[in-house]
Amino acid sequence: MTDATVSNAIAVRDNGPGAMVEQYKADLAMVMPSHVKPDTFVRLAVSVLRRDKNLTLAAQNNPAALMGALMEAARLGLEPGTEQYYLTPRKQKGRLEVQGIRGYQGEIELIYRAGAVSSVIVEVVRAKDHFSYSPGRDERPTHEIDWDAEDRGPLRLVYAYAVMKDGATSKVIVLNRAKVMEAKAMSTGSDSPYSPWQKHEESMWMKTAAHRLTKWVPTSAEYMREQLRAQAEVAAEKTAPLMPATAAPMPQPVTEDDGPIDAEFVDDDTAA
């Protein structure tokens, strides 16, 4: 899919960016994980484009940027136009273009999809909350909230951790306001009035902590590599030639049974 073909899609079909997304459904489906339904994905994308006039304008200004964002969402298996994956307008060389931003629900979804955790906890701490956590002493944070309070105060901290399937607790991520603001400053277009940092500040605090957590727990990418490896092994076994029924059994080398061999799997840290 080139910039020229994407631009031609709007020229040929005069129904706007939504029609272009429909036209490229097959291309999007090719990169989606098997659990994602292309019709649902496209319907969500078209819906958010129709709801937001600024986003529609951004898509018309640069159709390739729109399709690039949708391709990334499709590859990750995240729902576009939701808190899994935001579609937002941003100023680029004086005009609006579409920017795709992974949301906190998207980060959590990728952690769950790996199949190694039983739960993921991501919470913000406000000024009037009680929060306590000492690494090396506490397994998990203590966070007490006065739910009767009309105002819990401004955002103060955000934390994230996962409970693994065996009951163990992952590394606990705790970020203060200064650390979150550092992450915000590194995010392209975060000062734009269209950015989720402006419209969904609490969610973006949670996204920042959840993203840091992905470095310490199995991710969807790791899980998919293992799945593909297992599928390849099964396919190889099915296609291996069968021994003739009348053939004598092949002699096997005599070895000492030293018991099971311990192995250690080491995953590369691919998280951004």
Side-chain angles (χ1 to χ4, degrees):
M1 190 189 311
T2 66
D3 290 5
T5 57
V6 171
S7 297
N8 288 339
I10 289 185
V12 173
R13 303 278 297 277
D14 61 353
N15 293 327
M20 181 189 66
V21 176
E22 292 277 4
Q23 183 174 349
Y24 282 100
K25 179 166 66 174
D27 296 79
L28 293 165
M30 288 180 64
V31 300
M32 292 177 188
S34 58
H35 73 278
V36 178
K37 296 181 179 179
D39 288 341
T40 302
F41 182 96
V42 167
R43 186 163 57 250
L44 287 169
V46 171
S47 176
V48 71
L49 285 168
R50 289 176 177 170
R51 288 198 312 266
D52 190 329
K53 293 181 180 180
N54 289 316
L55 193 60
T56 300
L57 176 60
Q60 291 171 337
N61 287 340
N62 190 341
L66 167 66
M67 295 311 300
L70 291 178
M71 278 290 183
E72 182 187 24
R75 179 180 60 82
L76 294 172
L78 301 179
E79 297 178 343
T82 71
E83 287 193 333
Q84 286 192 1
Y85 192 90
Y86 295 105
L87 293 175
T88 65
R90 68 165 177 174
K91 279 284 184 69
Q92 186 73 6
K93 296 182 179 179
R95 67 175 188 172
L96 291 177
E97 296 184 357
V98 175
Q99 179 183 20
I101 301 175
R102 198 185 308 178
Y104 87 95
Q105 290 185 1
E107 300 284 1
I108 293 173
E109 168 66 16
L110 295 179
I111 295 173
Y112 272 121
R113 203 181 298 163
V117 306
S118 61
S119 62
V120 179
I121 291 82
V122 185
E123 295 288 350
V124 295
V125 180
R126 293 186 172 271
K128 296 181 182 179
D129 297 351
H130 172 75
F131 179 84
S132 174
Y133 175 66
S134 177
R137 183 195 69 189
D138 302 327
E139 182 181 12
R140 302 172 188 176
T142 298
H143 183 194
E144 298 178 2
I145 300 172
D146 180 2
W147 295 110
D148 288 326
E150 294 184 6
D151 181 8
R152 290 168 52 200
L155 292 166
R156 172 186 159 211
L157 304 168
V158 63
Y159 64 95
Y161 65 90
V163 179
M164 313 306 288
K165 286 287 181 68
D166 62 2
T169 302
S170 73
K171 179 179 178 64
V172 178
I173 304 297
V174 182
L175 302 174
N176 61 18
R177 173 174 286 274
K179 290 298 183 182
V180 175
M181 291 302 103
E182 287 179 9
K184 177 183 177 181
M186 295 176 65
S187 177
T188 304
S190 60
D191 292 331
S192 165
Y194 309 110
S195 170
W197 279 102
Q198 305 300 322
K199 295 183 176 182
H200 310 284
E201 184 183 19
E202 181 174 312
S203 293
M204 292 305 290
W205 278 55
M206 295 169 71
K207 175 263 174 76
T208 303
H211 183 68
R212 299 285 177 92
L213 180 63
T214 61
K215 298 180 180 181
W216 300 95
V217 295
T219 66
S220 179
E222 295 165 357
Y223 175 69
M224 292 303 295
R225 285 199 298 270
E226 293 298 326
Q227 290 291 96
L228 291 173
R229 186 180 306 154
Q231 291 171 6
E233 291 174 355
V234 171
E237 291 176 0
K238 289 182 178 179
T239 57
L242 297 176
M243 294 295 294
T246 57
M250 294 181 64
Q252 299 294 321
V254 178
T255 59
E256 293 184 3
D257 184 6
D258 293 327
I261 301 175
D262 292 329
E264 180 180 7
F265 293 94
V266 179
D267 290 317
D268 293 333
D269 182 8
T270 58

